[in-house]
Amino acid sequence: MTKRDVAETAIHAPEDGALRGAFELLQMDACRWIRPEDVAPIRELTLLLLLKLLFRHPPLRAMAWFRLATLMHRRKVKLLPGILQRRLLRLYGLEMVPGAKIGGGLYIAHPVGCVIVVESMGMNVSMMGSVTLGRLKPLRWPIVGDNVFFGAGCRVLGPIEIGSGATVGANAVVLTDIPSGAIAVGVPARTLTRDRNAPVACRSSHA
């Protein structure tokens, strides 16, 4: 996931500073809950189904609050983004920074204990519980590509890049770049496999 890839992803991503764009991102998040093992086409998501999913799944409600907080942050609304950020932490145990560049389709199975602070994150990323993405001493954070899977309890720290389609194993501590399609496990994490020809699971079907 190079800086050029990040720029291209940003071009095609909905604008989270516009009401329509923020709602599109939430729709993409909701599509991950229709069939959590897959990415449902956005055409399957009706307004009634969206409301049902929000009612049934607290992690999706948490994402709705985050999308609203980011919208308010982009529009320079005072106080409200911080209030919503504290609400996320208090109600769901999830720490996310309003205004972070996080693509649609983020699936967080168990938000309690998750800390997500990134430079940017692509689309259709999946996380289990107690995942931490943050910084070390430099004031820079990870860059995450599309379709990345983070296992329970893993830590991804510092100004590193996690390539699209990569898998970070449970309880791994990642301190260096992970290539696209690779599997990283261990403390500190090491790359087990890298199959360039393997299909990337959980491809976006929103196009």
Side-chain angles (χ1 to χ4, degrees):
M1 184 73 174
T2 65
K3 292 182 179 178
R4 180 179 179 181
D5 295 329
V6 172
E8 290 178 354
T9 299
I11 290 173
H12 296 97
E15 175 53 57
D16 59 7
L19 181 60
R20 180 175 179 178
F23 185 67
E24 287 178 3
L25 289 169
L26 177 60
Q27 287 179 302
M28 295 171 71
D29 298 332
C31 284
R32 297 298 310 278
W33 289 93
I34 297 175
R35 294 185 296 276
E37 73 282 358
D38 194 9
V39 182
I42 202 166
R43 62 179 176 273
E44 292 187 19
L45 185 70
T46 64
L47 180 58
L48 179 59
L49 179 56
L50 174 60
L51 293 175
K52 287 181 179 179
L53 292 171
L54 285 168
F55 178 76
R56 292 174 182 170
H57 302 295
L60 182 57
R61 293 201 296 273
M63 287 306 302
W65 287 117
F66 169 75
R67 299 301 182 189
L68 178 59
T70 295
L71 175 63
M72 296 298 100
H73 174 81
R74 295 277 187 255
R75 295 193 170 190
K76 302 187 184 301
V77 176
K78 296 181 178 180
L79 298 178
L80 188 56
I83 293 172
L84 294 175
Q85 182 181 15
R86 289 189 290 274
R87 181 181 179 86
L88 275 178
L89 184 59
R90 185 176 69 253
L91 294 183
Y92 306 101
L94 173 64
E95 187 169 350
M96 300 178 73
V97 178
K101 298 177 182 178
I102 294 181
L106 175 57
Y107 174 84
I108 306 175
H110 307 287
V112 175
C114 287
V115 179
I116 305 170
V117 186
V118 295
E119 291 283 347
S120 65
M121 179 180 290
M123 296 188 295
N124 299 321
V125 172
S126 302
M127 297 185 181
M128 299 298 103
S130 300
V131 173
T132 298
L133 283 74
R135 70 178 181 90
L136 292 174
K137 291 183 179 179
L139 288 175
R140 288 184 59 202
W141 294 266
I143 296 173
V144 180
D146 299 329
N147 304 306
V148 177
F149 177 87
F150 294 98
C154 69
R155 306 288 185 265
V156 179
L157 306 173
I160 60 177
E161 298 181 3
I162 309 300
S164 294
T167 297
V168 179
N171 297 314
V173 177
V174 182
L175 303 175
T176 58
D177 293 351
I178 303 299
S180 296
I183 300 173
V185 296
V187 182
R190 64 190 187 281
T191 300
L192 285 184
T193 62
R194 184 186 183 188
D195 186 352
R196 292 180 178 271
N197 297 318
V200 176
C202 201
R203 290 284 189 188
S204 172
S205 57
H206 296 289

